[in-house]
Amino acid sequence: MKVVLFCGGLGTRIRDYSESIPKPMIPIGHQPILCHVMQYYADHGHDDFVLCLGYKANIIKDFFLNFRHQSFADCVLQGRGGDVEVLDKQAADWRITLIDTGIWRNIGSRLWAVRDHVRGEEMFLANYSDGLTDVDLDDMVARFTASGKIGCFLAVRPPLTYHLVDMLPDGEVREFRSSERSEMWINGGYFLFRKEIFDYMRDGEELVLEPFQRLIDDNQLMAYRHEGFWRCMDTLRDRQVLEDMVEKGQMPWQAGHRHAAAKLEVA
């Protein structure tokens, strides 16, 4: 399936980085978070990408137009760099369509702008390009396919700590405790759509507002609940958490790390 990646936002909540580069190009380890997201999909066999560009689109275009795998892999140089042997497994032969969808468009308008590039696809994937997860994508696709519905999104619990207050109407506090994880479910930014999604959209509408409400009204939207790892890079704190995980070799969104974790649990 094709994968539509929304890469055009301003990233205002992580401005220290996004003033110089677009949010999907902010590095996690030695690669932009966008590459981590793309590798996740490629690990599941989906390597035909449509990138919806906007803010600082030229930076993302330059990155892929001038991409050199050896810049991100262990390698051996011989003859002053003339002969390069890459020691890591070579990246798959991805197909990447780069479409400038404008700076001020919202997510719904970006998807609408690239509808011709997913024409003919019975189903396609989509992603906000700023979050990582270890969700079983194959199972998510299978359940969505069996449902017969038109839209599906990943539902996750935000990894936040809240101080919960139990109080009486007059303000008397009965209990004050820390909640290690939110009891809410939120949209995790991983989507599956059938081609009929465009029948529920109008240009200019935000994807998860009017179009999703129409899907809900017709009982055509499902949520795939995931209790495992998920982290969105909204703030500098989020980036630091992901950066620390990479430094420690804890990357559950990567296939090798997911398999290693599974073996460890079985043992």
Side-chain angles (χ1 to χ4, degrees):
M1 281 187 284
K2 289 190 175 185
V3 185
V4 177
L5 299 175
F6 305 115
C7 307
L10 297 177
T12 54
R13 283 181 289 183
I14 193 167
R15 185 175 296 277
D16 285 4
Y17 271 98
S18 61
E19 285 186 348
S20 57
I21 59 175
K23 185 179 181 182
M25 297 303 294
I26 296 175
I28 300 296
H30 63 279
Q31 294 191 71
I33 191 171
L34 176 60
C35 290
H36 288 276
V37 173
M38 294 172 75
Q39 186 61 58
Y40 166 82
Y41 283 109
D43 287 343
H44 288 86
H46 309 291
D47 55 9
D48 190 346
F49 301 99
V50 179
L51 272 57
C52 303
L53 309 181
Y55 178 66
K56 296 188 181 294
N58 62 302
I59 293 178
I60 298 179
K61 285 184 177 180
D62 288 345
F63 176 82
F64 287 107
L65 290 172
N66 300 298
F67 183 83
R68 298 172 72 242
H69 180 62
Q70 52 264 45
S71 298
F72 302 95
D74 294 336
C75 56
V76 177
L77 305 180
Q78 193 169 357
R80 294 186 179 179
D83 185 13
V84 180
E85 176 188 358
V86 177
L87 301 180
D88 292 354
K89 182 177 69 173
Q90 289 283 351
D93 187 17
W94 297 351
R95 184 175 189 271
I96 305 173
T97 303
L98 302 164
I99 305 297
D100 192 341
T101 57
I103 295 178
W104 300 110
R105 277 182 165 164
N106 58 31
I107 296 297
S109 294
R110 295 189 193 283
L111 180 56
W112 183 262
V114 300
R115 64 193 183 279
D116 287 343
H117 295 279
V118 293
R119 191 181 301 277
E121 298 286 310
E122 289 299 319
M123 292 189 295
F124 63 93
L125 300 140
N127 195 291
Y128 284 157
S129 303
D130 63 358
L132 300 171
T133 184
D134 64 353
V135 68
D136 185 342
L137 186 61
D138 294 337
D139 185 63
M140 185 176 175
V141 171
R143 293 194 185 191
F144 174 62
T145 302
S147 75
K149 296 186 184 296
I150 293 173
C152 174
F153 68 95
L154 181 67
V156 298
R157 296 188 188 276
L160 302 174
T161 298
Y162 290 102
H163 293 104
L164 303 179
V165 180
D166 180 7
M167 61 183 176
L168 298 174
D170 63 0
E172 179 184 344
V173 177
R174 300 176 58 184
E175 183 182 14
F176 191 83
R177 60 187 174 87
S178 177
S179 172
E180 292 302 321
R181 197 170 188 190
S182 172
E183 298 173 0
M184 300 181 297
W185 289 94
I186 64 171
N187 166 24
Y190 283 65
F191 303 98
L192 272 159
F193 296 115
R194 296 183 192 273
K195 61 183 180 181
E196 289 80 8
I197 182 61
F198 296 108
D199 296 333
Y200 287 77
M201 298 178 64
R202 309 289 183 270
D203 191 14
E205 294 178 343
E206 180 54 82
L207 177 64
V208 299
L209 296 180
E210 298 92 346
F212 270 28
Q213 186 58 56
R214 295 185 189 109
L215 291 175
I216 293 170
D217 292 342
D218 287 352
N219 192 26
Q220 290 295 330
L221 181 66
M222 68 169 283
Y224 183 91
R225 296 190 182 196
H226 180 56
E227 294 274 11
F229 173 79
W230 175 88
R231 190 85 190 198
C232 179
M233 191 182 65
D234 271 339
T235 65
L236 288 174
R237 169 60 182 161
D238 294 326
R239 180 191 175 272
Q240 188 58 57
V241 168
L242 293 171
E243 184 74 15
D244 290 345
M245 292 180 69
V246 171
E247 289 180 1
K248 295 174 182 176
Q250 300 171 352
M251 294 174 283
W253 58 87
Q254 290 190 357
H257 291 259
R258 290 196 299 272
H259 296 159
K263 291 179 181 178
L264 183 61
E265 291 174 0
V266 172

